[in-house]
Amino acid sequence: MGQSNSSFGASSEADSREISPSRRFSFRSSSPAVISGLGPKQEDEVLERVSGGFDYSADIPDECLALVFQFLGAGDRKRCSLVCKRWLRVDGQNRCRLSLKAQSEILTFLPSLFARFDSVTKLALRCDRKLMSVNDDALVLISIRCPNLSRVKLRGCREITDVGMEVFAQNCKALKKFSCGSCMFGAKGMNAVLNHCRALEELSVKRLRGIHEGSEMIGPGVAASSLRSVCLKELINGQVFQPLIVGSKKLTTLKLIRCMGDWDGVLEMIGTGNTGFVEIHLERLQVSDLGLSGISRCSNLEVLRIVKTPECTNYGLVCVAEHCKRLRKLHIDAWRTNRIGDEGLIAVAKQCLNLQELVLIGVNHTSLGLTAVASSCQKLERLALCGSGSVGDAEIACIAAKCVALKKLCIKGCPISDVGIEALAWGCPNLSKIKVKKCRGVSGGIAEWLRERRESLIVNWDDGVAGLLDASVSQIGPQESRMEFHRTVHPGTDVTAGPSSNGPLTLFRTKFGFLAYRNLVQCAFRRCPNDDNSSNGNL
């Protein structure tokens, strides 16, 4: 863009590259670099086009110009649309994605907006919770102007009701992906989408306020033959989706995250209704071994994530391992409840021989379970051991000796030392990346030594001193988070005070002191020279 098609020969092309960019559209007749080597007629043609401010982009077809726009960011694309009317038209006709601030004031601009962007298939409407969002009229107008929408995302659109969702679903029957969060419509609006959108493949629902205890059940509708993924987050009465989960025969992915209520009944029905699940994610749910036994009937299961479900024990994990032998990825965050340990890991090692990725967080297993996994799972490529007090140098040496296919290893918050890291210098021949974090027994010198021994190995080492200040409850258990907080309290606060001193004023002073101390430490780290840690600057 910015240059015409070449017809002057190789010499003129080489000379034209030497012209300053600032003079690209203001050449003069006295520019010998442009007209040298041309005949009289060609020279007159060039001088006429250049002196007249010829638009070289006019020779670019609209299709090519639209392809260029696709590689630009949102800001650059907006600026390009202001260059000329043609670029404005091409940008509007070929823009498939559109994200709008869905405030109520946008209603009057929707007709002209979608008259320009008439090819939108992916739309996102977001509104801040402090502002009034668009209502049913705006949503209906959008559905009329854009009947070919395939992806829609609604965030904070609290003025949209079941009536608006009904009309929207009737007009946008080609919808494939629908996501909503912090909206106020309820089960009727959700059923309308599932009853009219026959091609719906992915459904994501988060904090849907209109679903409560008295809500009607949500069924699969006509989307039962196409729905493949369902994600439910932070729902009060998410169990109303049970007919949808059980009745969608092609459903392969299920994610239940921070939803209230007992989910054992729903998961037990999965085993009797739909056994084709490939990926299941359970996080912060009230789920016990009964739910895991229902999941175990899904013999095609390949990915299982059990995160912070304290009622799950070794028994449930053994049931899953014995029946789901195709398991490739297993993530367990036991939250240091000591209910999942060697028994479950040994069952996984014996039955799931295709395991490629294993993440253990807060699982206090011994060398027996880890040795069984290292010996039997010969395809294991990614391993993460976090927050386990029973993982020491002997366990790391076992991994180095027996995990031949291992490519990535993460060790966080485990009582290992330099001796365990030294074993990795000769073991795990396919290891390409290792990350060691918050392991106080490991020094920076051993990390440099390991880099020298294995030049192709990427070593990320962090002693965790600064990380303790940013520790969150999701990374460590609630008790440890509370202990770390008291360790970082400002000296001016009373650490030995009893429960009666935890009033609002004391809590405010404690938080203020913590933030002040944190800023002070960060400033001190910035002022310290980085000569000793220059080699670890990219960690």
Side-chain angles (χ1 to χ4, degrees), residues 341-342 345-346 363-372 388 390-391 395:
D342 290 336
L345 291 181
I346 292 173
V363 180
N364 288 326
H365 51 80
T366 65
S367 59
L368 296 176
L370 197 57
T371 301
S388 178
S390 58
V391 176
E395 287 72 21

Side-chain angles (χ1 to χ4, degrees), residues 227-230 244-245 248-253 274 276-277:
L227 195 61
R228 299 183 182 276
S229 175
V230 172
L244 171 66
I245 297 173
S248 301
K249 301 302 180 181
K250 292 188 178 180
L251 194 62
T252 58
T253 302
N274 182 8
F277 283 95

Side-chain angles (χ1 to χ4, degrees), residues 191-469:
N191 277 322
V193 174
L194 295 169
N195 289 330
H196 293 91
C197 302
R198 188 178 299 273
L200 190 65
E201 297 179 357
E202 296 184 13
L203 177 64
S204 178
V205 182
K206 181 178 180 180
R207 289 196 297 269
L208 193 58
R209 309 299 187 186
I211 295 181
H212 43 77
E213 293 184 0
S215 300
E216 63 183 69
M217 303 300 287
I218 298 176
V222 298
S225 59
S226 60
L227 195 61
R228 299 183 182 276
S229 175
V230 172
C231 179
L232 306 179
K233 294 183 179 180
E234 302 178 16
L235 298 180
I236 297 178
N237 190 28
Q239 289 79 6
V240 297
F241 285 89
Q242 175 177 334
L244 171 66
I245 297 173
V246 178
S248 301
K249 301 302 180 181
K250 292 188 178 180
L251 194 62
T252 58
T253 302
L254 176 63
K255 298 180 180 180
L256 305 175
I257 302 173
R258 295 187 296 274
C259 294
M260 298 180 64
D262 187 5
W263 286 87
D264 282 338
V266 177
L267 297 180
E268 284 183 305
M269 291 296 295
I270 287 178
T272 59
N274 182 8
T275 59
F277 283 95
V278 177
E279 179 180 357
I280 295 180
H281 184 161
L282 309 177
E283 181 175 349
R284 290 182 180 267
L285 293 180
Q286 185 179 343
V287 177
S288 65
D289 293 337
L290 294 176
L292 293 183
S293 62
I295 293 175
S296 65
R297 299 189 183 98
C298 303
S299 58
N300 296 324
L301 191 64
E302 297 181 4
V303 180
L304 177 61
R305 292 179 172 88
I306 307 173
V307 181
K308 295 180 175 63
T309 54
E311 297 183 13
C312 295
T313 66
N314 283 321
Y315 175 79
L317 184 58
V318 170
C319 290
V320 173
E322 291 179 350
H323 298 88
C324 304
K325 298 185 178 182
R326 297 185 180 181
L327 206 61
R328 296 185 299 106
K329 297 181 180 180
L330 178 61
H331 291 209
I332 301 176
D333 187 348
W335 220 3
R336 296 182 179 178
T337 57
N338 294 329
R339 294 191 174 187
I340 296 180
D342 290 336
E343 184 180 353
L345 291 181
I346 292 173
V348 171
K350 290 182 178 180
Q351 305 295 336
C352 306
L353 302 180
N354 295 322
L355 195 65
Q356 298 178 2
E357 180 175 320
L358 178 62
V359 177
L360 301 176
I361 303 175
V363 180
N364 288 326
H365 51 80
T366 65
S367 59
L368 296 176
L370 197 57
T371 301
V373 172
S375 302
S376 301
C377 302
Q378 295 297 321
K379 297 181 180 180
L380 190 64
E381 296 181 354
R382 297 173 294 277
L383 177 62
L385 305 173
C386 306
S388 178
S390 58
V391 176
D393 294 335
E395 287 72 21
I396 302 300
C398 177
I399 293 173
K402 297 183 178 182
C403 293
V404 181
L406 195 64
K407 295 181 179 179
K408 295 183 179 180
L409 176 62
C410 177
I411 309 171
K412 180 179 178 181
C414 297
I416 64 173
S417 65
D418 295 346
V419 178
I421 300 300
E422 289 178 359
L424 297 173
W426 295 278
C428 300
N430 294 316
L431 193 64
S432 61
K433 183 176 181 180
I434 177 175
K435 182 177 181 180
V436 181
K437 187 175 183 180
K438 296 183 180 179
C439 298
R440 298 183 179 182
V442 180
S443 62
I446 194 65
E448 293 296 331
W449 177 84
L450 187 59
R451 291 192 187 98
E452 295 176 358
R453 295 289 301 180
R454 304 182 63 168
E455 297 179 355
S456 61
L457 183 63
I458 300 176
V459 181
N460 292 336
W461 172 78
D462 183 8
D463 57 1
V465 174
L468 290 175
L469 297 176

Side-chain angles (χ1 to χ4, degrees), residues 336 387 468 475-485 487:
R336 296 182 179 178
L468 290 175
Q475 295 175 343
I476 54 179
Q479 290 183 345
E480 183 176 349
S481 176
R482 198 155 47 239
M483 291 173 60
E484 295 294 342
F485 177 75
R487 268 190 237 126

